[in-house]
Amino acid sequence: MKAYQLAARQDGAGSTVVTVSSPGKTVHIGPGTCTVIAGPCSVESRDDYLEIALLLKEIGVDMLRGGAFKPRTSPYSFAGLGEEGLDILAEARAVTGLPVVTEVVDPRDMERVCGCVDVIQIGSRNMQNFALLKEAGRSPLPVLLKRGLAATIEEWLLAAEYILDAGNPRVILCERGIRTFEEMTRNTLDIAAVALVKELSHLPVIVDPSHATGRRSLVAPAARAAIAAGADGLMVEVHQNPDQALSDGNQSLSPVLFANLYRDIRNLPAWLGEPGRE
């Protein structure tokens, strides 16, 4: 038996479709979908976040992203607005009607976060924070689980197993690149992992081409490759002034660049002969 018994694809069983519901919209993530999640890396201010949220709604995205609590490599880097950021995310959800995803870094914040958003994210640095995984497994919301920066595919699936075993069946896997010897990109996007994990597991898989590449010019090509490989969706960083962003500006798209990518994404499934994907 596989170590990841609950995450493993069973013979004859179908794929899991995770339903995300906000007061204004319901989103399905799984086979036959191409869910697009977008927003800035972090919530920097109320006015700026509401502005980009409304722009993204106009473009047509399915969900919003934004970090209130940001785990940063340097303790001197901007680490988010904390609870103030959560309140801004909740306001953006109310104003746009779109579901919102944000990261949880401390189990003690789980209840507060769950009251403000629709999906909780376990980031790359916390993929093997087992106390946090168990708490996410007890939460009432879907969980977006990012692959660790040096995690094997089995370790990633076993992290998902912690959430599933704790009672939460709504897990979305996110490939966001892994650390290799290559220094010209932020990480190395493991495109093969998308196809392999969909073969090994029934859980939906999305891709974060922003963190995977770390370079604005590479986000669109990586996003198209992810959809071609069978990803069920994308998570893309978008900022109205990327060069002035307080975090991850180099990999953030402007609204204009993102709108162009969004148009391509919506057409790509048809090019691939998959008319059922939306």
Side-chain angles (χ1 to χ4, degrees), residues 20-28 36 49-50 52-58 60-65 88-101 116-119:
V20 179
S21 297
S22 74
K25 185 172 184 176
T26 297
V27 176
H28 304 288
V36 180
Y49 191 81
L50 291 179
I52 194 66
L54 288 169
L55 283 171
L56 292 170
K57 176 180 174 61
E58 185 177 347
V61 301
D62 300 296
M63 295 174 57
L64 299 173
R65 60 146 294 150
I88 294 169
L89 289 170
E91 184 177 359
R93 179 177 67 164
V95 169
T96 64
L98 296 177
V100 174
V101 55
C116 296
V117 301
D118 306 287
V119 178

Side-chain angles (χ1 to χ4, degrees), residues 29-244:
I29 305 174
T33 69
C34 183
T35 303
V36 180
I37 306 167
C41 173
S42 57
V43 179
E44 300 173 357
S45 72
R46 175 184 178 274
D47 290 347
D48 285 346
Y49 191 81
L50 291 179
E51 178 187 25
I52 194 66
L54 288 169
L55 283 171
L56 292 170
K57 176 180 174 61
E58 185 177 347
I59 291 171
V61 301
D62 300 296
M63 295 174 57
L64 299 173
R65 60 146 294 150
F69 301 98
K70 294 296 300 178
R72 304 301 299 276
T73 301
S74 169
Y76 309 113
S77 298
F78 177 69
L81 298 177
E83 294 204 5
E84 180 185 352
L86 290 178
D87 292 336
I88 294 169
L89 289 170
E91 184 177 359
R93 179 177 67 164
V95 169
T96 64
L98 296 177
V100 174
V101 55
T102 197
E103 183 171 356
V104 183
V105 298
D106 189 325
R108 294 171 294 184
D109 295 324
M110 188 67 70
E111 183 176 358
R112 176 78 165 89
V113 172
C114 287
C116 296
V117 301
D118 306 287
V119 178
I120 53 176
Q121 175 183 309
I122 306 296
S124 176
R125 291 175 174 85
N126 278 304
M127 190 204 79
Q128 288 185 309
N129 181 337
F130 300 117
L132 185 59
L133 294 174
K134 291 176 183 178
E135 192 67 24
R138 291 187 285 267
S139 77
L141 297 182
V143 180
L144 191 154
L145 177 65
K146 286 198 166 186
R147 184 180 180 182
L149 58 88
T152 66
I153 289 173
E154 183 174 61
E155 288 168 341
W156 185 21
L157 291 172
L158 284 169
E161 195 79 5
Y162 271 90
I163 301 169
L164 296 168
D165 185 58
N168 191 340
R170 297 189 291 168
V171 177
I172 306 153
L173 299 172
C174 181
E175 162 62 36
R176 44 80 71 199
I178 53 176
R179 180 169 293 177
T180 67
F181 56 80
E182 183 54 65
E183 297 180 349
M184 295 191 73
T185 55
R186 178 173 180 172
N187 295 294
T188 298
L189 177 57
D190 190 356
I191 283 291
V194 176
L196 179 56
V197 170
K198 288 180 72 69
E199 181 180 304
L200 296 173
S201 175
H202 59 88
L203 299 173
V205 182
I206 69 170
V207 170
D208 177 348
S210 303
H211 282 89
T213 64
R215 298 177 63 144
R216 192 175 305 147
S217 63
L218 299 180
V219 171
R224 290 192 290 265
I227 298 302
D232 299 308
L234 299 168
M235 174 181 274
V236 183
E237 291 191 344
V238 185
H239 193 285
Q240 55 267 67
N241 297 296
D243 293 333
Q244 298 176 23

